[in-house]
Amino acid sequence: MSGSNGTDESPHEHDDARTENVGSTAESAREAESAPTERFEAVDPHREVTESQAGSATDQKADVEAPQPEAAEAQEASGAAEPRVDEPKTEDLAAPQAAAENAEQAAPTNPEQVAPTGADESPTENVHPSEAPTAVIPVVAPGNRAPGDGSSAATDRLVRSQGEQNPAQPGPEQLEAPVPPTSTAMPSAAHPPQGDQPTQQMQAGPPPQGPPPVTPPPTGGPGGSGGDGDEPGRSGSNLPRRTIALVVGGVVALLAVFYVADLALSSGKVPRGVTVAGVEIGGMSLDAAEAELTEQLSPRLDMPVDVTAGDTQGQIVPSEAGIGIDWPATLDQVGSQPLNPFTRLASFFGNDEVGVVSTRDEVALSAAIEKAAAAAAHEPREGNIVFEDGTPVPVTPQPGQQLDVAVAGDVFAERWPYGDVSLPVESVDVTVTREGLDRALAEVAVPAVAQDLVVRGLDGAVGVLPRDAVGAVLSFVPDGSGGLEPQYNTEAAIGILAPQLAPSETEPKDARIVLDGGRPTIVPSETGEMVDWPVTLEKLPDLLKEEGDRSTDAVYKKAEPELTTEGAEKLGIEEVVSEFTTSGFEYASGVNIRLAAQEINGAIVKPGDTFSFNDYTGPRGAAQGYIESGIIESGRPGKAVGGGISQLATTLYNATYFAGMEDVEHTEHSYYISRYPAAREATIYDGAIDLKFRNPFDTGVLIQTIGTSSDITVRIWGTKTVDVQSVTGNRTNFTSPNTITLPAGSACIPSSGAQGFTVTDTRIVTDARTGAQISNATRTVRYDPVPIVKCISPEPEPSDEPSGGGDDATSGGADSEDAPASAPESPAAEAPAAGGTEEE
């Protein structure tokens, strides 16, 4: 119990009367009577009043709970329980009377303001009771007190104060007037208080003037008596603990009953809170759950499922993708009732989604996913800069993506019941960053189109590269470091500038060999002067960045001809080495033959070069002056623009045949035409059938053509080094013609037909100087029969039928032999494909 709150700062201010080792039995009380002294702990003199008040309130509450007589006995036993008495110091033997009076005056008159004992001090006190300073005073046993002893008066007052603090248990002492409680730590008159001495020992002496206030002994807390038979040192009363134990036990028992009842009621049912693809089946029987799932989920197999793959979207119908539901496996993963009470409790507040177990047709599923993968996959789009109407436009880089079909199939098979599936995609990164794109745009593209580029040529000629045409010259490619590297197309720039500067250039002229007076004459070549465009445009990147004048001078260089005068002289074109003539064509064919002959007239084939008839003449259509004439089409005679050229091809082939040229490519007619030598003729068709030969000699050759209204002649000029002999074999393996009936009209050309046969040709090449044989090659050709064509009409048929296979075989004298082509027996020979077209 706290002492009086005096203001004289004596060592006894705020002393606590703390009992130690308080016994609760009668034996403890008897031992207390024989104890000469009682020990009290001193209270920190600086403790605030509020803490004392709080402790006092706690003491009063404990006093109400404990019977008053037992508390008094416990108080007396408390002193008897101390087995050791500290030796009093000399200064402690004489306590001044003034200290006792001051302590009595300073004691509070309100019982609620009495400071608590050391056991009931405020929990905010930092000093542990075992470490607090103590004071020991002698206490006279009740049986040995003399009448008038001061300690007896103090004891009476103590009993009365306990009665006041415990009105629920009145005693005889409560009939007396209440006495304010004061500290039992009374200073002795023989020992005056010392300054900061922590421990005081006081012996009994003459009673002080006036009874000092006594504070009730502690009834609870650490080191105090519980008042209900508690053991020493146990805090508080057992009544709240028993109540709490009963409440907790009741709650546990109630929860156990609830757990057992819930487990019994849910036995054999689906665990609470279970959902399958969003369908709630918790608490249902397995049969009811299966019926509910079948009703809810089966229709979803035929409903389109939205599928998202990166930045693409689509739909897949699960049943069409080979997806089904494995009902036994789905119900198996629902599980049984959980035994864990916490799991069962959590099931009241949430759901447990277990999903659907799907069956799958791997072939159908892969096909559906591959279709989605094809739609989702796209290549990355690198950042770039394009030009639109002379304005540079940035192309933002965009990563590509691709779909893993195997992984996507697993995801779809798992997630389809939820109606929306996101398939995993792999991103394909781009190399160009936005920063690199912006840098190329600002530093290269925008300056390039700021103004036109001017190239100045000779004689005042000027070439201009307009700013809106820069896009044809400037482009960009990734540089591998996140940026764009400019690329300059000088060929495109030359294509724009060269025509503008062409008037300032002098084209070189090749040497020519002309036949003047029947002899070849060389016309000297001429050197030209042309713009050296690579040199002129080597500063193009810098020119397109110039902020000021963007102009430069064209650089010219000498241009040598392909065939110089010296080169023409070395060709050795001095004499006619071979010549061949054909005749018998009609007017339209003659027109076409002479036009083509003019194209190839004067052509020079250098040593080792290959000549192509179609390449040299170019297109042979109406725009070039060719007209309609006879052809062979779909196995029978017909007409088309440019027809009849095959006669020129046959004439050229024979001229090069006897000149010793190497046969590279030629094709015979599908059926024989009598004006041509058998097995030594050629057909031609623009873009399909060509005639090619190669010059195998060290000297060049010149082609000369001479055309008249009735025949065509081809001469090969060069240096004669070989002689050529042709040997034609006998005709064998004759075949009869078929008869074709067609409606009368311009499309039908009647023919009496002719037999087909097989024939061979052998070419023998010998050295012109020595006569030694150089080569001997045989070619076998099989000709199809000329079909018999009958034109049916209501008009009488013509009286004079055309003879089969002759020059007059077709109307107007045109060759009209044709039939489905057949390959010659010789591997070197080629015939036109069946149903094809060939010129006569």
Side-chain angles (χ1 to χ4, degrees):
M1 290 182 293
S2 301
S4 61
N5 296 329
T7 59
D8 58 354
E9 298 182 357
S10 68
H12 301 285
E13 289 180 4
H14 307 287
D15 288 348
D16 287 341
R18 182 183 302 273
T19 61
E20 296 181 3
N21 300 324
V22 179
S24 60
T25 61
E27 181 180 357
S28 298
R30 287 192 300 270
E31 293 176 357
E33 293 178 358
S34 62
T37 59
E38 185 173 1
R39 175 180 169 180
F40 292 86
E41 295 179 356
V43 180
D44 185 358
H46 299 288
R47 181 183 301 159
E48 295 185 5
V49 178
T50 56
E51 296 179 358
S52 301
Q53 293 174 352
S56 176
T58 304
D59 293 341
Q60 292 174 7
K61 181 178 179 181
D63 291 340
V64 172
E65 295 176 356
Q68 185 64 27
E70 295 178 4
E73 294 175 2
Q75 175 67 20
E76 294 176 0
S78 173
E82 178 64 52
R84 180 180 58 86
V85 177
D86 294 339
E87 290 292 333
K89 296 182 181 180
T90 305
E91 59 271 22
D92 295 337
L93 298 179
Q97 183 67 28
E101 294 176 357
N102 292 338
E104 184 175 358
Q105 293 175 0
T109 59
N110 190 346
E112 296 179 358
Q113 295 179 354
V114 176
T117 64
D120 295 329
E121 289 176 359
S122 173
T124 60
E125 180 63 37
N126 294 328
V127 180
H128 191 274
S130 63
E131 298 176 358
T134 59
V136 180
I137 62 174
V139 177
V140 179
N144 299 329
R145 288 196 300 266
D149 193 343
S151 62
S152 177
T155 303
D156 294 339
R157 286 194 297 270
L158 174 62
V159 173
R160 285 195 300 271
S161 68
Q162 291 177 348
E164 293 173 357
Q165 295 181 6
N166 295 276
Q169 299 179 0
E173 294 83 3
Q174 292 177 337
L175 299 177
E176 299 178 5
V179 179
T182 59
S183 174
T184 58
M186 297 175 293
S188 173
H191 298 277
Q194 302 298 320
D196 295 329
Q197 186 167 337
T199 305
Q200 298 290 337
Q201 295 180 349
M202 310 190 74
Q203 297 180 354
Q209 296 181 0
V214 179
T215 303
T219 60
S225 175
D228 196 21
D230 286 355
E231 295 180 2
R234 184 176 297 175
S235 62
S237 170
N238 274 345
L239 182 60
R241 293 186 178 182
R242 291 176 181 175
T243 304
I244 294 173
L246 290 175
V247 172
V248 171
V251 171
V252 172
L254 182 62
L255 291 177
V257 172
F258 176 79
Y259 171 80
V260 174
D262 181 61
L263 186 62
L265 292 174
S266 61
S267 178
K269 297 181 180 180
V270 176
R272 187 170 34 250
V274 171
T275 62
V276 177
V279 179
E280 297 183 358
I281 59 173
M284 295 183 179
S285 66
L286 292 179
D287 293 339
E290 183 175 3
E292 178 69 13
L293 292 177
T294 303
E295 180 182 357
Q296 295 291 335
L297 299 182
S298 294
R300 299 186 190 180
L301 290 170
D302 300 320
M303 299 173 61
V305 175
D306 293 332
V307 176
T308 302
D311 54 7
T312 60
Q313 294 181 342
Q315 289 184 332
I316 296 178
V317 178
S319 60
E320 296 178 359
I323 295 295
I325 300 177
D326 188 342
W327 294 111
T330 299
L331 293 174
D332 285 346
Q333 72 178 8
V334 166
S336 59
Q337 289 292 330
L339 298 179
N340 189 322
F342 297 102
T343 303
R344 300 187 66 84
L345 180 62
S347 65
F348 285 98
F349 308 101
N351 293 329
D352 182 15
E353 172 62 40
V354 299
V356 173
V357 179
S358 300
T359 62
R360 47 200 283 182
D361 181 342
E362 295 296 341
V363 176
L365 179 60
S366 296
I369 298 299
E370 286 176 357
K371 184 177 180 181
H378 58 76
E379 295 296 327
R381 183 182 68 191
E382 288 288 0
N384 201 356
I385 299 175
V386 297
F387 294 87
E388 297 179 0
D389 299 329
T391 301
V393 178
V395 178
T396 304
Q398 178 180 352
Q401 67 178 22
Q402 58 186 5
L403 191 65
D404 189 328
V405 175
V407 175
D410 294 339
V411 172
F412 181 81
E414 178 183 354
R415 299 296 302 172
W416 70 266
Y418 303 96
D420 188 1
V421 179
S422 294
L423 301 180
V425 295
E426 297 178 359
S427 179
V428 182
D429 295 334
V430 294
T431 60
V432 178
T433 64
R434 182 68 194 188
E435 293 76 10
L437 177 63
D438 294 341
R439 184 168 55 253
L441 181 67
E443 297 178 1
V444 181
V446 172
V449 297
Q451 53 185 314
D452 299 339
L453 172 64
V454 178
V455 179
R456 295 185 296 267
L458 298 176
D459 303 327
V462 175
V464 178
L465 176 62
R467 56 181 301 274
D468 57 0
V470 169
V473 177
L474 176 60
S475 61
F476 295 87
V477 295
D479 62 4
S481 301
L484 288 173
E485 180 181 355
Q487 300 286 317
Y488 299 91
N489 187 347
T490 56
E491 294 298 326
I494 293 172
I496 297 173
L497 296 170
Q500 302 178 58
L501 294 182
S504 66
E505 297 178 309
T506 303
E507 292 283 349
K509 294 182 179 179
D510 290 339
R512 293 180 299 120
I513 300 176
V514 298
L515 300 174
D516 186 10
R519 298 291 301 174
T521 303
I522 297 176
V523 177
S525 61
E526 295 181 7
T527 300
E529 188 175 31
M530 307 292 292
V531 176
D532 189 349
W533 288 110
V535 176
T536 302
L537 297 179
E538 65 181 358
K539 296 182 179 180
L540 181 62
D542 295 332
L543 290 172
L544 292 179
K545 294 179 182 178
E546 291 289 342
E547 296 182 358
D549 181 26
R550 288 188 180 176
S551 61
T552 186
D553 294 329
V555 178
Y556 289 81
K557 68 176 181 178
K558 299 295 182 180
E560 298 294 334
E562 292 186 5
L563 180 59
T564 63
T565 303
E566 294 78 8
E569 293 174 349
K570 293 179 180 179
L571 289 176
I573 300 176
E574 300 174 352
E575 57 184 332
V576 176
V577 297
S578 68
E579 180 179 331
F580 198 81
T581 301
T582 61
S583 59
F585 48 80
E586 51 100 14
Y587 171 76
S589 295
V591 172
N592 294 333
I593 290 171
R594 286 188 291 271
L595 281 175
Q598 291 176 5
E599 293 292 334
I600 67 173
N601 185 44
I604 295 177
V605 184
K606 298 178 181 179
D609 286 355
T610 298
F611 176 88
S612 168
F613 189 96
N614 284 341
D615 290 347
Y616 210 91
T617 61
R620 299 183 295 271
Q624 288 78 32
Y626 293 88
I627 61 177
E628 187 177 74
S629 184
I631 62 171
I632 299 174
E633 182 177 15
S634 300
R636 61 187 179 83
K639 287 189 176 182
V641 174
I645 304 298
S646 290
Q647 186 153 348
L648 176 60
T650 296
T651 306
L652 178 61
Y653 173 75
N654 278 273
T656 59
Y657 177 96
F658 289 105
M661 297 294 107
E662 178 184 334
D663 181 22
V664 176
E665 177 183 339
H666 90 280
T667 302
E668 291 87 357
H669 286 84
S670 59
Y671 54 80
Y672 175 67
I673 300 174
S674 60
R675 63 179 179 268
Y676 304 148
R680 210 175 68 233
E681 44 89 15
T683 186
I684 197 79
Y685 194 81
D686 190 10
I689 304 174
D690 200 2
L691 169 63
K692 296 180 181 180
F693 67 88
R694 175 178 174 275
N695 179 7
F697 304 112
D698 295 334
T699 57
V701 295
L702 171 68
I703 300 174
Q704 180 186 13
T705 59
I706 303 171
T708 67
S709 59
S710 59
D711 57 33
I712 181 70
T713 299
V714 175
R715 292 175 182 169
I716 303 298
W717 291 76
T719 300
K720 188 173 181 60
T721 57
V722 296
D723 292 325
V724 177
Q725 180 184 4
S726 175
V727 178
T728 303
N730 296 325
R731 299 179 183 184
T732 59
N733 301 327
F734 290 95
T735 56
S736 300
N738 297 326
T739 300
I740 300 175
T741 302
L742 298 173
S746 59
C748 181
I749 302 176
S751 171
S752 60
Q755 287 184 323
F757 58 90
T758 301
V759 66
T760 63
D761 176 75
T762 301
R763 186 174 80 156
I764 302 171
V765 180
T766 59
D767 187 279
R769 185 173 59 86
T770 64
Q773 181 173 304
I774 298 175
S775 64
N776 185 329
T778 299
R779 182 179 181 89
T780 300
V781 180
R782 186 182 66 186
Y783 290 108
D784 294 325
V786 178
I788 300 173
V789 180
K790 294 182 179 181
C791 300
I792 304 301
S793 81
E795 300 178 358
E797 296 182 1
S799 57
D800 50 340
E801 296 181 359
S803 58
D807 289 344
D808 297 329
T810 62
S811 175
D815 299 334
S816 60
E817 299 88 356
D818 194 10
S822 60
E825 296 179 5
S826 171
E830 298 179 8
T837 302
E838 49 186 297
E839 296 176 357
E840 297 180 352

